[in-house]
Amino acid sequence: MKISYNWLRQFLKINRTPEETGELLTDLGLEVEGIHSFQSVKGGLKGIVIGEVISCGPHENADRLKVTKVDLGNGQPVQIVCGAPNVATGQKVPVATVGTTLYDEKGTPWEIKKSKIRGESSHGMICAEDELGLGKSHEGIMVLDTNLPSGTPAAKLFEIEDDHVFEIGLTPNRADAMSHMGVARDLKAGLQQQGEQQELITPSVSSFHVDSRNLRIPIKIEDAELVPRYCGITISEVKIAESPKWLQNRLKAINITPKNNVVDVTNYVMHELGQPLHAFDASKISGGEIHVKTLPAGTKFTTLDEVERDLHEEDVMICDAEKPLAIAGVFGGIGSGVTSETTSLFIESAYFNPITVRKTAKRHGLNTDASFRYERGIDPNITEYALKRAVLLIQELAGGNVTSDIDDHYPKKIEDFPVFLTFDKINTLIGQNLAKETVKSILTSLEIRVNNVTETGMGLTIPAYRVDVKRESDVIEEILRVYGYNNIEFGEKINASVANSSRFEDYKIQNLISNQLVGQGFFETMANSLTSPAHAGLSEQLKEEHSVKMLNPLSQDLSVLRQSLLFSGLEAVSYNLNRKRNDLKFFEFGKSYHQFQSGKVENKHLTLFISGNRSGENWSTTLQKGNFFYLKGIVTTVLDRLGISETKSSPVKNDIFSEGITLNFQKKKLVEFGVVKKKILKNFDINQEVLFADFNWEELIEISKTQQNKFRNIPKFQPVKRDFALLLDNSVRFEDIFALAFKTEQKILKNVNLFDVYEGENLPEGKKSYAVSFILQDETKTLTDKQIDKTMNKLQQNFEKQLGAELR
């Protein structure tokens, strides 16, 4: 939000520099993010002086140029070559002296230098109005009607305004500070706390009066809940013209382009007092009446930006007897605004329901200065005052007569509200005892009325425009920001307590696994929990009726909470692939959200995504694609790190994976992982394989609490390795071999490993060959050949009998 320093000085007699003022505003909670200078004319006419042409003659070498002598007031006339057709002796003219910087229409600077033009020296330039930024004409030089002496800076004649503009990062709760008066009100409280007594100078409307009542436009409000207050008035016989320089400068300083005297007044009052206004051409109001109401869904309406919009049934509209004229509190319509032919006005000043305005603005993708204020909550009791202020300014700048009374619809006044503030609460929250008189003084400076003071506290009345001050703690925050956070003393000691926490705290386990995955080359992602409802249609597991829908979505693509972390992860994969990052390993901790008949459910997950090569190119390694078994290894390391080893696997049963496995622990599903189906990847424009794992994080945490780490001595005796080449049916899995091996020999069998798989020529149909190694070890003595052969024979017999295996 932009705030003009000069404009603030209309409310307060500030004796501080802009920089000092900015520091105080920041201390008050209105953070000044930057201060930049503004000049009504770029360059401020620096180096431009008033000169008098004392002679003017033809140029010997150019028919269209003239050689002049110009008095600059220093007793030494200078020669200037001028090409303007209207230059003549005796004229007072603006002169850019040597070394002056001028700016072209694009703002590019260029410097006036001593030069020779067709053989004649020229010491400056006599300027046209467009060359100085004072107008657009280039028909000739400016001839000044002034008695100011030669050498007088031109800035004095043209009343160039120099200003400083504060860029304030306004927080959403500070609706009261969305105007120059609101900022000045805070500044007054801050100055008073520092011992500078200031009076807030507000614009007077005492001269407002009604001239006649011959253009009354009745107002009808359909729903007072949506439109708590609405004021309107008419003005006739106005003349639409350009605004005076002072008003244009005020608006330009805060980056608003002047339009005409009437529209500029409505913008001026909005930024001055915080009350949005809208001016209608009264002659375009059919039926001579205003209806504030909602319209059927799908009604067409064209706004000022010439965009035709489909209205929502909850959009509040300003209508006449036949058609809509404006979207209430958001944007005007193209057919009812003020034009150069307008002679009569209907001026609106209202307080609309903030929630309604916010929803309407979001639905139509509009963010206007008016909606910015209405949706945060303006002062409902300033509506009539602001309207009078605007009427007086319009009469001053555009003439006209007030031709109706103010029609004010305010059926239920929005009252100020009471809060009881206890002194103990103040001292507890602030951590320092503040004098009662200091507290009372600060509250009074903030226009919070102190009704009574007791031994325990104060009875207060909070003004209605302070929509963010509802509780005792809110009032204390107000006291503290005016008193000054920097004025709170530090104690001489720091008290701290050590809390006992379990090593199974969620964040501790999450950090543990995160560090492990990062060490394995993964990057953590954090995706938006809001997603598109279209994702629910990509899998039969997800149901649209189970989506948790946002009441006020930012857009249709962010209108529901995600039911799965898969699709937001695939968006991240697609984003990176489109930027030529083809080797990806991601993990994310996040939640899924579901709306069931029994209520809303949140589940926390850990998800893994692998696509492309396992690692980047390197001269010392061979590139290897990430595959299902690589993902399985990563999944296993996560479970092992949590002490979970005794899992049972089963084929995955969903339409997300083309192939996959589910790992369970005592009938509880821990993780699903596999290869994502190509038809799902196609929706995200992904053309390479993506591997995905989805852990039930909450189950992992609970199960890890029951697992105990066991430590044992390193065996002193050597292990023995033996291999089998087994011919098996295609239906036999390595998991079956692994389980049967340990069932056969539990004492000395330490590990079983599959190190080669062969399927193809020279094997019977429906068969495959597994090369399996077995590690045997006795931790108490050295194994003998007899023991080893006996164990291997038992393994062979069981494999042949139970799995139908043959030794190759």
Side-chain angles (χ1 to χ4, degrees):
M1 183 182 72
K2 298 183 186 299
I3 293 293
S4 160
Y5 176 69
N6 288 351
W7 204 339
L8 280 180
R9 296 180 71 183
Q10 293 179 200
F11 290 94
L12 295 171
K13 296 178 180 178
I14 303 171
N15 296 318
R16 298 186 175 210
T17 65
E19 290 73 21
E20 291 170 337
T21 304
E23 288 179 10
L24 180 54
L25 287 173
T26 298
D27 289 342
L28 288 166
L30 301 176
E31 183 180 0
V32 176
E33 297 175 339
I35 304 174
H36 65 267
S37 60
F38 167 79
Q39 293 173 318
S40 56
V41 174
K42 191 170 180 64
L45 298 185
K46 186 177 180 181
I48 312 296
V49 299
I50 296 173
E52 181 177 356
V53 180
I54 57 178
S55 70
C56 179
H59 193 295
E60 292 182 357
N61 301 317
D63 294 339
R64 295 186 179 182
L65 299 179
K66 295 178 181 178
V67 179
T68 66
K69 291 284 186 181
V70 182
D71 178 15
L72 299 181
N74 57 5
Q76 297 178 348
V78 298
Q79 178 172 293
I80 298 176
V81 177
C82 181
N86 63 330
V87 64
T89 302
Q91 293 174 336
K92 287 289 184 75
V93 293
V95 178
T97 56
V98 174
T100 298
T101 299
L102 298 180
Y103 300 85
D104 63 17
E105 59 183 9
K106 295 181 180 179
T108 304
W110 56 284
E111 185 179 342
I112 300 296
K113 298 179 180 179
K114 178 182 176 181
S115 61
K116 275 196 173 185
I117 303 176
R118 296 287 185 93
E120 293 287 349
S121 61
S122 183
H123 301 263
M125 184 174 80
I126 304 175
C127 301
E129 64 177 42
D130 66 328
E131 293 166 333
L132 298 178
L134 296 171
K136 297 181 180 179
S137 174
H138 196 71
E139 295 177 356
I141 61 169
M142 291 185 73
V143 180
L144 307 177
D145 182 15
T146 178
N147 294 320
L148 290 174
S150 297
T152 302
K156 185 174 182 179
L157 173 63
F158 293 106
E159 298 178 351
I160 303 302
E161 180 168 358
D162 288 317
D163 197 358
H164 290 81
V165 179
F166 303 108
E167 190 69 47
I168 294 179
L170 192 68
T171 52
N173 64 308
R174 290 304 308 277
D176 62 296
M178 294 186 296
S179 66
H180 284 77
M181 185 174 74
V183 173
R185 193 163 45 207
D186 254 24
L187 193 55
K188 168 179 171 280
L191 291 170
Q192 182 173 312
Q193 176 61 23
Q194 296 186 5
E196 295 183 35
Q197 297 300 319
Q198 290 274 1
E199 179 183 353
L200 191 66
I201 306 168
T202 55
S204 173
V205 294
S206 59
S207 60
F208 172 84
H209 65 279
V210 177
D211 298 299
S212 65
R213 295 175 175 81
N214 54 17
L215 186 58
R216 183 175 180 273
I217 296 181
I219 299 169
K220 297 180 181 179
I221 309 297
E222 181 182 81
D223 189 343
E225 289 292 325
L226 301 179
V227 190
R229 188 174 190 183
Y230 191 94
C231 297
I233 196 170
T234 62
I235 309 175
S236 301
E237 300 178 21
V238 298
K239 294 181 179 179
I240 306 301
E242 188 179 83
S243 296
K245 291 297 182 184
W246 70 265
L247 178 52
Q248 291 192 38
N249 290 340
R250 284 284 179 266
L251 296 179
K252 287 178 181 178
I254 57 174
N255 207 27
I256 294 178
T257 303
K259 300 288 192 304
N260 58 56
N261 47 9
V262 171
V263 174
D264 291 350
V265 164
T266 60
N267 282 328
Y268 179 85
V269 173
M270 175 173 63
H271 287 275
E272 179 185 49
L273 304 178
Q275 171 65 56
L277 304 167
H278 193 76
F280 298 90
D281 187 328
S283 67
K284 298 176 182 177
I285 299 177
S286 301
E289 56 187 30
I290 289 290
H291 296 262
V292 187
K293 60 183 181 179
T294 56
L295 295 174
T299 302
K300 304 293 185 182
F301 179 67
T302 304
T303 45
L304 281 171
D305 56 359
E306 300 183 358
V307 175
E308 185 179 72
R309 303 178 187 275
D310 293 326
L311 298 180
H312 189 273
E313 66 268 16
E314 294 180 2
D315 294 338
V316 178
M317 301 298 295
I318 312 301
C319 308
D320 58 20
E322 300 176 357
K323 61 186 181 300
L325 303 176
I327 304 176
V330 181
F331 212 18
I334 197 167
S336 61
V338 175
T339 66
S340 57
E341 287 78 34
T342 299
T343 58
S344 58
L345 304 169
F346 174 78
I347 310 294
E348 162 197 285
S349 178
Y351 177 84
F352 298 112
N353 184 293
I355 296 174
T356 301
V357 173
R358 183 170 64 250
K359 288 183 176 181
T360 297
K362 295 294 183 186
R363 273 194 293 266
H364 295 289
L366 294 169
N367 182 22
T368 62
D369 284 341
S371 67
F372 176 80
R373 286 159 175 79
Y374 276 127
E375 65 189 33
R376 284 162 174 77
I378 61 172
D379 185 355
N381 298 319
I382 204 176
T383 308
E384 184 180 6
Y385 169 69
L387 185 58
K388 289 180 178 180
R389 169 67 169 159
V391 168
L392 291 174
L393 284 172
I394 290 173
Q395 287 184 298
E396 177 185 336
L397 304 182
N401 299 312
V402 178
T403 48
S404 75
D405 291 307
I406 293 178
D407 195 352
D408 187 0
H409 289 256
Y410 197 13
K412 185 179 179 181
K413 185 178 180 182
I414 299 174
E415 301 286 350
D416 300 341
F417 44 93
V419 170
F420 187 79
L421 177 66
T422 59
F423 295 124
D424 285 345
K425 188 72 170 178
I426 297 173
N427 299 333
T428 299
L429 283 185
I430 293 179
Q432 182 173 320
N433 293 334
L434 299 186
K436 295 180 181 179
E437 286 304 314
T438 299
V439 172
K440 185 176 179 181
S441 173
I442 291 173
L443 293 173
T444 303
S445 70
L446 291 170
E447 299 184 1
I448 296 175
R449 190 165 66 250
V450 179
N451 299 320
N452 55 76
V453 181
T454 67
E455 287 296 320
T456 58
M458 297 179 177
L460 310 174
T461 299
I462 312 298
Y465 65 79
R466 289 310 306 268
V467 295
D468 61 321
V469 183
K470 299 288 187 183
R471 306 163 300 170
E472 186 179 18
S473 56
D474 296 330
V475 178
I476 295 171
E477 183 183 356
E478 292 297 294
I479 295 169
L480 183 54
R481 70 180 183 83
V482 175
Y483 180 77
Y485 289 96
N486 294 333
N487 294 326
I488 301 300
E489 298 175 357
F490 286 95
E492 295 181 355
K493 64 177 182 177
I494 297 177
N495 297 323
S497 58
V498 178
N500 181 32
S501 63
S502 168
R503 64 189 181 93
F504 294 103
E505 291 284 347
D506 187 295
Y507 75 94
K508 292 182 179 180
I509 303 296
Q510 183 171 316
N511 287 339
L512 182 74
I513 298 301
S514 295
N515 289 335
Q516 175 172 306
L517 290 171
V518 168
Q520 292 172 315
F522 282 77
F523 289 89
E524 184 172 10
T525 63
M526 298 179 69
N528 197 339
S529 294
L530 295 173
T531 189
S532 169
H535 289 165
L538 299 180
S539 171
E540 294 178 359
Q541 285 189 305
L542 310 180
K543 305 294 183 183
E544 185 177 352
E545 59 268 24
H546 294 162
S547 294
V548 179
K549 299 178 181 179
M550 302 299 294
L551 296 176
N552 185 27
L554 295 172
S555 68
Q556 185 61 21
D557 289 338
L558 297 172
S559 59
V560 299
L561 290 170
R562 59 184 176 181
Q563 294 187 53
S564 170
L565 275 66
L566 170 63
F567 306 115
S568 53
L570 290 178
E571 287 175 345
V573 171
S574 176
Y575 182 90
N576 281 270
L577 291 177
N578 289 336
R579 285 152 181 80
K580 306 301 180 183
R581 293 178 57 88
N582 299 321
D583 303 326
L584 305 172
K585 294 196 289 187
F586 295 152
F587 73 95
E588 179 186 5
F589 288 94
K591 289 186 175 182
S592 62
Y593 306 85
H594 303 270
Q595 174 71 69
F596 298 124
Q597 288 185 349
S598 57
K600 295 182 175 67
V601 175
E602 295 181 17
N603 294 313
K604 189 169 182 178
H605 302 257
L606 163 62
T607 56
L608 308 178
F609 293 86
I610 299 173
S611 186
N613 296 314
R614 302 182 188 184
S615 59
E617 285 185 290
N618 190 286
W619 67 272
S620 63
T621 58
T622 302
L623 289 178
Q624 288 183 295
K625 290 284 186 183
N627 56 29
F628 176 84
F629 296 101
Y630 176 66
L631 174 62
K632 183 181 179 182
I634 299 295
V635 169
T636 302
T637 63
V638 171
L639 297 177
D640 287 345
R641 190 66 185 85
L642 296 175
I644 303 172
S645 57
E646 298 178 3
T647 59
K648 292 185 177 181
S649 66
S650 60
V652 74
K653 296 179 181 179
N654 61 46
D655 59 350
I656 291 175
F657 300 106
S658 58
E659 56 178 323
I661 287 177
T662 300
L663 295 183
N664 302 289
F665 181 87
Q666 297 177 355
K667 298 183 179 181
K668 294 179 180 179
K669 184 168 69 175
L670 298 184
V671 58
E672 290 181 334
F673 62 94
V675 181
V676 181
K677 284 187 174 181
K678 290 183 178 179
K679 72 174 185 178
I680 292 179
L681 300 181
K682 187 177 180 181
N683 289 278
F684 298 87
D685 296 324
I686 298 174
N687 298 317
Q688 67 184 45
E689 186 177 76
V690 176
L691 303 156
F692 172 63
D694 185 2
F695 291 87
N696 185 335
W697 183 251
E698 287 155 345
E699 286 290 355
L700 289 181
I701 296 294
E702 290 303 313
I703 293 172
S704 68
K705 293 178 182 179
T706 65
Q707 305 302 301
Q708 292 184 347
N709 292 322
K710 296 180 180 179
F711 297 90
R712 58 190 179 192
N713 293 327
I714 298 174
K716 298 179 181 180
F717 302 96
Q718 294 289 337
V720 175
K721 181 181 177 183
R722 292 289 186 268
D723 299 336
F724 276 161
L726 300 173
L727 186 66
L728 301 157
D729 292 336
N730 283 337
S731 60
V732 177
R733 300 170 300 170
F734 172 69
E735 183 181 4
D736 300 326
I737 298 172
F738 187 91
L740 182 56
F742 277 101
K743 184 178 180 182
T744 302
E745 176 55 61
Q746 299 179 357
K747 184 177 180 182
I748 65 173
L749 181 62
K750 300 303 180 183
N751 192 26
V752 181
N753 182 49
L754 176 66
F755 63 89
D756 187 47
V757 177
Y758 177 73
E759 294 176 304
E761 297 180 359
N762 302 322
L763 290 182
E765 185 177 351
K767 295 289 186 176
K768 60 185 176 182
S769 175
Y770 274 5
V772 183
S773 65
F774 303 87
I775 304 297
L776 307 176
Q777 186 179 38
D778 190 329
E779 298 180 5
T780 61
K781 61 181 182 293
T782 301
L783 288 172
T784 65
D785 290 340
K786 184 176 180 180
Q787 287 176 295
I788 295 169
D789 292 341
K790 181 179 179 182
T791 299
M792 296 306 296
N793 288 334
K794 284 168 56 180
L795 290 171
Q796 179 182 343
Q797 291 172 9
N798 283 340
F799 290 156
E800 291 173 347
K801 183 178 180 179
Q802 299 187 36
L803 300 179
E806 298 178 32
L807 281 182
R808 293 186 66 197

